[in-house]
Amino acid sequence: MNKILFQLLKFFSAILPATVTRRLLPYNTQILQESFRPIRQRIDEYSPRFYENFWKDYPETRDLFGKNMTKKELDARINQFMLFIVENADKPHVYLNFVQHLAGRHKGYGIFSHQFEFVGETNIKTLKEMLGDSFSAADEKEWRVAFSFLTRLMKLAETFKVKEKI
């Protein structure tokens, strides 16, 4: 059912005018793009900070990384991910195609459903560190909404394992 809903989202985002689909987005793309602008110039600093935070806060995920790619590839992917999200946040059709591909790839890595929230939280933490006081409460709110939306889309695009409670 989730995959059908995702395909419907893709279909409607492709046929509706961009001015209509942009209004359906739950976040303010302008705030995302403007708040990220200072990081674009130093994007190579993003991935080391992200992974340092991620593995410190969620050490149980460390084994999921590096099996299929080198550290250089990991760095490139998280940087490309952030750049893509910012550049295409207001282009739902492009964004949805990317999310579908990303979800399929992450399903293959053995990611659990709840672990997507880890990525959103780590991105917020990394943005705060890199932007300092210029990262406002309004910026954080929009980024949280954007990562939450991305997480929901990923879960619609694929069926991920749910960790059983012990």
Side-chain angles (χ1 to χ4, degrees):
M1 180 65 175
N2 283 349
K3 287 185 179 186
I4 293 169
L5 182 56
F6 188 85
Q7 291 304 323
L8 284 171
L9 284 171
K10 278 182 63 178
F11 172 75
F12 285 114
S13 73
I15 64 168
L16 291 172
T19 54
V20 172
T21 57
R22 278 188 206 118
R23 283 186 280 204
L24 300 175
L25 296 171
Y27 50 81
N28 183 317
T29 58
Q30 186 175 0
I31 289 176
L32 296 181
Q33 292 167 340
E34 287 176 11
S35 66
F36 196 75
R37 189 169 290 125
I39 291 177
R40 290 182 69 84
Q41 299 165 0
R42 15 187 293 233
I43 192 66
D44 289 340
E45 296 173 34
Y46 194 86
S47 60
R49 283 183 186 239
F50 173 86
Y51 286 113
E52 180 181 328
N53 289 330
F54 194 75
W55 290 326
K56 179 181 168 213
D57 295 343
Y58 309 104
E60 69 276 14
T61 64
R62 188 133 174 103
D63 291 342
L64 294 170
F65 294 86
K67 289 187 236 175
N68 304 319
M69 64 188 80
T70 66
K71 174 74 168 88
K72 186 176 179 178
E73 287 175 286
L74 278 175
D75 287 344
R77 288 208 177 171
I78 193 67
N79 291 343
Q80 290 168 355
F81 165 79
M82 289 301 291
L83 290 168
F84 187 91
I85 293 301
V86 170
E87 291 170 5
N88 295 287
D90 61 346
K91 300 175 188 99
H93 184 64
V94 174
Y95 190 79
L96 288 170
N97 285 329
F98 175 76
V99 166
Q100 186 173 29
H101 174 74
L102 192 65
R105 216 172 56 217
H106 282 75
K107 182 177 182 176
Y109 299 152
I111 304 296
F112 284 95
S113 181
H114 71 282
Q115 292 171 321
F116 287 108
E117 285 80 13
F118 299 172
V119 175
E121 287 302 315
T122 304
N123 275 301
I124 298 293
K125 184 176 186 175
T126 305
L127 289 166
K128 282 182 179 180
E129 286 177 3
M130 290 186 72
L131 294 169
D133 292 339
S134 69
F135 192 64
S136 70
D139 295 338
E140 181 175 346
K141 177 183 174 273
E142 293 306 320
W143 278 101
R144 285 193 181 282
V145 170
F147 284 122
S148 177
F149 184 63
L150 174 65
T151 296
R152 287 193 307 269
L153 289 175
M154 294 273 284
K155 290 176 181 179
L156 283 175
E158 282 293 343
T159 304
F160 291 91
K161 297 183 288 187
V162 176
K163 189 171 186 175
E164 293 181 24
K165 294 182 182 182
I166 299 173

